[in-house]
Amino acid sequence: MHKTMNRNSNVYTVIYATVLTVLVAILLSAAALGLKDKQKANMDNEKKQQILQSVASKLGKTVTFENAADLWKELNMDDAMFCVNTKGEKVEGQTAFDIASKILFDKGKIKEDATLPVYVANIEGIPYRIVSLYGAGLWGPIWGYLSVDPEGKVAGVSFDHESETAGLGAKIKDDPAFAEAFIGKSLFTDGKFTSVSVTKAGKPANHGGEKVDAITGATKTSDYVGDMIWESLLGYVPFLQGATSPAGGCKKHEGCQKHEGCEKHEGCEKHEGCEKPCDMEGCQKEACTPEACGKPECKAQCGEKAECADKAECDACKKAE
Amino acid sequence: MLIVTVMANEKKPGVFTGPLWTNNPVVVQVLGICSALAVTTQMKPALVMGISLTCVLAFANVIISVLRNTIPNRIRIIVQLVVVAALVIIVNQILKAYVYDVSKALSVYVGLIITNCILMGRLEAFALGNKPFPALLDGLGNGIGYALILFITATLRELFGSGTLFGYDVLARFVNEAGYDGYQNCGFFTMPAAALIIIGCIIWYQRAKNPDLQDK
Amino acid sequence: MEYLNLFIKSIFIDNMIFALFLGMCSYLAVSKTVKTSVGLGCAVTFVLLITLPINYLLDKYVLQPNALVEGVDLSYLSFIIFIANIAAIVQIVEMVVEKFFPALYGSLGIFLPLIAVNCAILGGSLFMQQKEFENVGFAITYALGDGIGWLFAIACIAAIREKLSYSNIPAPLKGLGITFIVTGLMAIAFMSFSGIQLG
């Protein structure tokens, strides 16, 4: 019992508490530091899975937590991602993968100066550009990835949510049929961004353009998905449309589409230094790229509409051929 | 087996085996119900939760039992909470690193081990007044008793709610082989209410078998 | 509107007891009479209202990555910080109430020590952290909603248990067993709220 007296003194209590705190702090820091890399790898893997899920239908297989890392490597995704700003220009100096979609938004609108991540999955020679989505759901944030094929059509989507109602709103993630409904919908109507709306069956789309039917019983969450796609893509539109260059930039190439690998786009006169031939990636029905104008593959993709915006340019390029 | 033999030698049969059934922490002592209900939709998270809690409880029991003569009386509860919280953080870190999908399914319920009444209950009632070895047995016994209830509940909920066991398709296949066409999942079992009713039924069964546990 | 949305959701849809199973231990142990249940429910709401905003601020300005010092992520400490904060606050509240509001202490006081280890309190903080609220207003709303939801649940079950004590229930089901089953049935009833949508 002699210890009991001792145990109740203030000094003893304070020293005891201090020693305990220090010991626990050391122990926990050691555990946290030791396991950090492994945890980071897991989180990255989950993100990779979600990104690749948006092109799963093109890959022709399901993307799981286990095979995501291998698929990622197989598609060489680490080299096929970059950042763009809201004007559609490439931005150097940031790793697309490390950008959290959440910080790109301010009160539900994409920030003017945001740096947006883009991932490109090359599947059977076709580059699918995957963009990230983020927005408010009914009960918490919702986010996802949307892949766009070279024609401006949706190649696939993957959604996730934090706390939508299980069995109703949660279907945006759990019901494959909902995601499949997006495939093949065009984001553009006559060259104008019209997004893909999500509205009740029988109701028209919100912004013109195409729509997907809302989940029965979860119209609100579905609405939010539509809003998220619209708001998130607004920042990407210049990039996705191939973006007209900033003022003072490429005037001659009005119909010219920015394409992967083209470094000297800004102020570009005739794409000198640009090594890759225009791969039709951004070919729009209305504004076929001058380089490809008149070429058979242009017509194949663009149909009879394959006309350059700039007639003189088009003639020049035909002549060059 | 070793533990059981040693225990028999020490003539403390109740410390380890008691909590497994007749003095089960969940259905008899009514401790640690929160997580028992929340993590039982699938078997894998339930199993991991059971193992996690058993580890935390055994370690915490031993640590507090070792420290029992040094802990200042006034900050007793805080010291217990700190020890438990530190252990839980370590468990959480390990889960996040090695079984990521399970740690997502358990979400905040791992953190809630801290306030799991089994822990504070056993620390206060047993570890503070006993030597480390019986405290270890008590921790293991109660942890396993808890895991057992979790496991029973999760088995029922996963089998009927999703037709699977540990993610393997069982019921649908069985039904198909019996010549019928498919099994429609019983959504009720995946809902929170089912957990409450299943545990209610376990209590019912157990008290029917052990009349001395019944309320007068 | 977002506040109202969150408030309604935390009371009815994500009810602490019926959907999240938080604070079940005291829910089962203290729900024998309506009077004590309401007392405990008020105490839980009160403590939630104090601890949640504080934990929110701690999380936002200390624990989150890069919050305190650039490049330092302390989020792994959140469990221990939250529970230490809760234990400390409960202690302080108990002392303050005892000294300045003896009448209130008479009715709430006995519950306060119980609350430090009530899952609903720590659970509220952990769910709040997971929800990543934009500002402290949401945290307060969430705390109020959670507390009222919990109070509501325990008051309901206590009322039912008071009536049940006159019913002829099979002996093995008496007490705990029937309470579980009744709670389950109430949870089913509460599920019908999950369709609520606010514009």
Side-chain angles (χ1 to χ4, degrees):
Chain A
M1 286 312 280
H2 60 283
K3 265 188 179 171
T4 326
M5 302 256 289
N6 200 1
R7 274 204 294 175
N8 287 330
S9 78
N10 282 340
V11 182
Y12 181 79
T13 307
V14 170
I15 293 175
Y16 196 92
T18 318
V19 171
L20 188 74
T21 314
V22 171
L23 276 178
V24 166
I26 293 172
L27 192 70
L28 291 183
S29 311
L33 284 177
L35 295 168
K36 206 175 176 184
D37 293 341
K38 201 118 183 116
Q39 294 173 357
K40 177 86 171 45
N42 280 333
M43 276 185 247
D44 286 354
N45 209 19
E46 191 190 18
K47 189 169 177 180
K48 287 174 184 172
Q49 182 195 355
Q50 282 180 1
I51 293 173
L52 291 177
Q53 186 64 41
S54 72
V55 286
S57 67
K58 304 295 165 190
L59 284 166
K61 50 180 139 184
T62 44
V63 183
T64 62
F65 188 76
E66 284 75 29
N67 72 7
D70 292 339
L71 274 173
W72 187 267
K73 216 175 253 171
E74 215 171 280
L75 290 167
N76 206 11
M77 293 294 282
D78 273 331
D79 297 328
M81 55 187 181
F82 51 88
C83 302
V84 296
N85 61 19
T86 50
K87 296 190 191 77
E89 301 153 337
K90 266 198 194 181
V91 181
E92 297 294 329
Q94 286 198 61
T95 313
F97 194 77
D98 294 339
I99 298 175
S101 321
K102 192 188 171 186
I103 59 161
L104 306 174
F105 291 84
D106 185 28
K107 299 200 172 69
K109 304 269 179 236
I110 206 150
K111 289 180 192 159
E112 280 284 298
D113 58 347
T115 306
L116 311 163
V118 178
Y119 312 88
V120 182
N122 277 294
I123 300 162
E124 291 168 358
I126 306 170
Y128 297 98
R129 285 162 299 180
I130 305 169
V131 299
S132 100
L133 312 171
Y134 183 89
L138 184 59
W139 302 120
I142 49 177
W143 61 93
Y145 295 90
L146 182 144
S147 61
V148 187
D149 71 6
E151 292 169 41
K153 287 182 178 163
V154 179
V157 287
S158 68
F159 298 120
D160 203 351
H161 62 93
E162 193 193 86
S163 44
E164 299 309 304
T165 319
L168 295 171
K171 277 191 182 168
I172 62 169
K173 182 187 181 194
D174 302 334
D175 188 357
F178 182 65
E180 275 160 23
F182 283 87
I183 298 173
K185 305 276 179 191
S186 181
L187 293 171
F188 301 95
T189 311
D190 300 329
K192 214 175 127 250
F193 174 62
T194 47
S195 190
V196 180
S197 310
V198 185
T199 52
K200 265 188 191 167
K203 290 241 174 96
N206 290 335
H207 310 282
E210 303 218 53
K211 62 156 280 189
V212 162
D213 283 346
I215 295 167
T216 318
T219 4
K220 263 281 176 315
T221 302
S222 308
D223 277 354
Y224 284 114
V225 169
D227 292 349
M228 167 176 80
I229 297 175
W230 171 259
E231 284 297 338
S232 305
L233 287 186
L234 274 185
Y236 283 104
V237 165
F239 164 74
L240 289 174
Q241 280 187 322
T244 47
S245 309
C250 180
K251 290 256 169 64
K252 276 191 173 179
H253 280 70
E254 220 176 350
C256 163
Q257 302 292 311
K258 217 174 158 186
H259 52 77
E260 247 66 276
C262 176
E263 299 286 337
K264 291 199 176 179
H265 189 83
E266 260 156 60
C268 155
E269 291 280 331
K270 274 189 182 174
H271 262 104
E272 259 163 25
C274 171
E275 271 157 31
K276 280 189 190 170
C278 184
D279 56 9
M280 303 295 300
E281 193 193 313
C283 177
Q284 302 280 316
K285 281 187 176 175
E286 294 71 36
C288 184
T289 70
E291 284 97 324
C293 181
K295 284 185 186 170
E297 66 262 26
C298 180
K299 282 210 168 126
Q301 289 229 348
C302 309
E304 285 310 305
K305 269 184 163 182
E307 281 169 32
C308 289
D310 188 341
K311 196 80 178 88
E313 188 60 39
C314 193
D315 289 339
C317 106
K318 271 182 185 158
K319 226 178 263 174
E321 245 207 332
Chain B
M1 278 328 275
L2 181 73
I3 293 170
V4 179
T5 348
V6 175
M7 212 175 55
N9 289 343
E10 292 220 347
K11 299 219 162 54
K12 282 197 181 71
V15 178
F16 180 73
T17 50
L20 293 185
W21 187 244
T22 50
N23 192 24
N24 188 286
V26 179
V27 297
V28 181
Q29 302 175 50
V30 205
L31 299 171
I33 309 284
C34 320
S35 48
L37 299 166
V39 301
T40 49
T41 37
Q42 301 285 321
M43 289 169 81
K44 199 173 162 194
L47 192 66
V48 173
M49 186 72 180
I51 295 171
S52 306
L53 184 113
T54 309
C55 293
V56 172
L57 184 54
F59 276 114
N61 252 359
V62 170
I63 292 172
I64 292 297
S65 167
V66 169
L67 295 177
R68 71 186 187 282
N69 290 327
T70 68
I71 299 174
N73 221 6
R74 269 181 295 171
I75 56 167
R76 194 183 74 235
I77 301 274
I78 302 263
V79 169
Q80 289 171 8
L81 280 176
V82 166
V83 168
V84 172
L87 287 168
V88 169
I89 291 176
I90 292 172
V91 166
N92 189 33
Q93 300 279 332
I94 292 173
L95 291 184
K96 267 192 194 159
Y98 293 99
V99 272
Y100 188 69
D101 53 332
V102 176
S103 91
K104 279 202 72 161
L106 293 175
S107 84
V108 305
Y109 289 94
V110 179
L112 288 174
I113 294 180
I114 298 172
T115 47
N116 192 313
C117 321
I118 296 184
L119 274 156
M120 296 310 281
R122 293 327 294 169
L123 292 182
E124 279 280 302
F126 199 89
L128 273 178
N130 284 285
K131 288 192 179 135
F133 186 68
L136 174 72
L137 291 184
D138 181 74
L140 287 174
N142 278 288
I144 294 170
Y146 166 86
L148 194 70
I149 298 296
L150 242 67
F151 197 72
I152 296 172
T153 317
T155 310
L156 288 169
R157 288 183 75 184
E158 187 176 340
L159 184 64
F160 294 112
S162 328
T164 56
L165 288 177
F166 280 110
Y168 293 106
D169 213 351
V170 177
L171 215 50
R173 186 175 299 164
F174 179 75
V175 171
N176 281 338
E177 274 170 13
Y180 298 99
D181 192 20
Y183 170 72
Q184 194 70 35
N185 290 338
C186 177
F188 170 71
F189 278 87
T190 60
M191 285 164 182
L196 288 159
I197 291 176
I198 290 172
I199 297 210
C201 293
I202 295 176
I203 293 172
W204 187 1
Y205 172 79
Q206 201 213 18
R207 296 201 172 175
K209 292 277 162 196
N210 303 286
D212 47 328
L213 291 173
Q214 290 169 12
D215 285 13
K216 277 130 251 155
Chain C
M1 200 62 211
E2 284 161 336
Y3 291 103
L4 187 63
N5 224 346
L6 179 69
F7 186 64
I8 299 288
K9 175 169 188 183
S10 49
I11 295 182
F12 293 107
I13 301 167
D14 275 354
N15 185 285
M16 279 262 176
I17 296 282
F18 299 128
L20 303 174
F21 312 113
L22 296 176
M24 286 299 278
C25 303
S26 25
Y27 168 85
L28 292 167
V30 191
S31 60
K32 290 204 175 85
T33 60
V34 175
K35 197 162 170 271
T36 45
S37 304
V38 172
L40 183 67
C42 291
V44 165
T45 313
F46 184 59
V47 174
L48 267 174
L49 262 179
I50 299 175
T51 56
L52 232 74
I54 295 179
N55 278 346
Y56 175 81
L57 296 173
L58 276 173
D59 183 47
K60 192 165 183 188
Y61 295 108
V62 179
L63 295 173
Q64 277 182 10
N66 302 332
L68 195 61
V69 185
E70 196 64 31
V72 176
D73 180 1
L74 290 176
S75 51
Y76 63 91
L77 285 177
S78 47
F79 294 166
I80 209 163
I81 299 279
F82 286 174
I83 193 71
N85 177 36
I86 290 166
I89 297 280
V90 168
Q91 200 83 49
I92 293 169
V93 167
E94 193 183 352
M95 289 191 283
V96 170
V97 171
E98 188 176 10
K99 186 144 175 77
F100 297 107
F101 309 98
L104 188 64
Y105 185 77
S107 54
L108 283 190
I110 45 162
F111 300 118
L112 284 170
L114 267 178
I115 283 173
V117 287
N118 187 323
C119 314
I121 311 285
L122 181 66
S125 286
L126 293 175
F127 274 108
M128 169 205 71
Q129 186 191 28
Q130 200 188 41
K131 284 182 190 300
E132 301 178 351
F133 291 133
E134 262 169 49
N135 60 50
V136 76
F138 285 104
I140 295 172
T141 315
Y142 185 63
L144 195 63
D146 273 353
I148 292 176
W150 202 87
L151 167 65
F152 187 47
I154 196 170
C156 289
I157 195 73
I160 293 175
R161 284 182 82 169
E162 279 188 5
K163 294 281 169 217
L164 275 182
S165 58
Y166 303 110
S167 315
N168 194 8
I169 300 164
L173 257 183
K174 260 186 193 158
L176 198 56
I178 193 73
T179 311
F180 263 98
I181 290 174
V182 168
T183 309
L185 296 175
M186 285 166 80
I188 296 176
F190 264 66
M191 260 164 16
S192 56
F193 287 116
S194 69
I196 290 185
Q197 292 180 346
L198 296 169

